Amino acid sequence: MSRPSPDDRIQDGLNQLDGYLYWQAELAEARREAMAFCDKLSWLTTGERRDLEEEYARARVDMAKAATRRIADRCTELRAEYEARYQRLRQRTVAVTLGAASCLLVVWELLRK
């Protein structure tokens, strides 16, 4: 098995960093939404507010995780579909090319006689 090239490792690292930064932004947005929601509920005690903010943020993060999983699963499905289509297209292209080449050879031989 071949080792990944330095470019592949760099791209993998960049993808991981991108995912990390995306997730940190999701967490920060969940916290901001929780705080904005609790700001509307002025009657909450400090403890109730903290608990509600945590629960709201946790629920928001769970929804984001579920959405991310659904998107990733769909991307995987689409990739498999497109790879299968590409494989069939390649096979048909090769078959048509070989058929056309065979026909040209037959015509060539007939014309030579």
Side-chain angles (χ1 to χ4, degrees):
M1 185 169 193
S2 65
R3 294 175 56 186
S5 72
D7 288 341
D8 290 341
R9 289 193 305 261
I10 290 170
Q11 188 61 47
D12 287 345
L14 289 174
N15 288 341
Q16 287 179 1
L17 179 61
D18 184 51
Y20 173 79
L21 292 174
Y22 167 78
W23 196 248
Q24 291 305 307
E26 281 292 323
L27 294 174
E29 182 63 22
R31 287 186 204 108
R32 277 192 295 276
E33 285 180 15
M35 290 172 66
F37 178 73
C38 288
D39 284 345
K40 296 175 185 176
L41 308 174
S42 59
W43 64 86
L44 292 174
T45 65
T46 303
E48 290 171 331
R49 181 184 172 96
R50 185 183 60 244
D51 291 344
L52 185 56
E53 282 178 359
E54 288 175 10
E55 186 56 36
Y56 185 103
R58 187 177 308 114
R60 168 73 166 67
V61 167
D62 289 344
M63 288 188 316
K65 282 181 186 178
T68 301
R69 279 191 205 106
R70 283 192 305 273
I71 291 168
D73 291 345
R74 183 63 181 141
C75 287
T76 302
E77 291 171 8
L78 286 173
R79 182 179 183 136
E81 287 177 27
Y82 286 127
E83 285 177 352
R85 286 183 186 180
Y86 177 73
Q87 183 65 26
R88 285 192 305 271
L89 179 62
R90 272 188 22 203
Q91 290 170 346
R92 282 187 275 169
T93 302
V94 168
V96 167
T97 302
L98 290 175
S102 298
C103 288
L104 286 174
L105 285 174
V106 168
V107 169
W108 175 262
E109 285 300 318
L110 290 174
L111 292 176
R112 282 183 43 194
K113 291 182 181 183

